[in-house]
Amino acid sequence: VQLQASGGGLVQSGGSLRLFCAASGFTFGSGYMAWFRQAPGSEREFVAGVTWSDSKYYSAAVKGRFTIARDNAKNTVDLQMTSLRPEDTAVYYCASTTSRTRPPLAEYNYWGQGTLVTVSS
């Protein structure tokens, strides 16, 4: 049972990246899916989330630049990131929960291993 995150890398400021997250050993079902990120020396922070019915929510820091996309049939959740900034540099994690709505951080059941995104200025 795991989430596999990929797609990170080095990109220049203003560039784009797409992150991928696939589940194996379980299905998303009706649970909430989300992306988080953690920069060095900082706490893990919510980036974007999506419900089973495709309601999406974004943090203020990324709204208008990032897009979360969920495919229930494929058990995947992607994060398209555009207009990247140096402050977007972090390890990005996908996470899932059995909760149908966005829960507190501690209630996410599964976490991907993280994928590093580095944005150079």
Side-chain angles (χ1 to χ4, degrees):
V1 176
Q2 66 176 355
L3 290 172
Q4 183 72 34
S6 61
L10 174 63
V11 63
Q12 289 188 334
S13 182
S16 299
L17 276 177
R18 189 175 184 94
L19 304 184
F20 305 90
C21 179
S24 62
F26 74 103
T27 58
F28 292 167
S30 58
Y32 194 82
M33 298 297 301
W35 283 93
F36 289 79
R37 67 186 182 187
Q38 188 166 18
S42 299
E43 294 186 351
R44 192 167 297 189
E45 65 173 357
F46 176 88
V47 173
V50 58
T51 67
W52 179 80
S53 58
D54 211 35
S55 292
K56 301 173 184 180
Y57 184 81
Y58 300 93
S59 69
V62 308
K63 191 172 185 179
R65 301 187 297 122
F66 290 13
T67 302
I68 190 169
R70 172 179 181 152
D71 188 324
N72 292 325
K74 295 181 180 179
N75 257 1
T76 60
V77 58
D78 299 345
L79 186 69
Q80 177 67 49
M81 307 184 293
T82 63
S83 302
L84 283 162
R85 306 166 181 167
E87 54 263 39
D88 294 319
T89 295
V91 177
Y92 283 71
Y93 300 89
C94 56
S96 70
T97 173
T98 53
S99 172
R100 293 194 174 203
T101 58
R102 179 186 168 190
L105 181 67
E107 294 184 17
Y108 285 86
N109 306 103
Y110 300 115
W111 291 86
Q113 82 285 6
T115 185
L116 176 62
V117 172
T118 304
V119 184
S120 63
S121 57

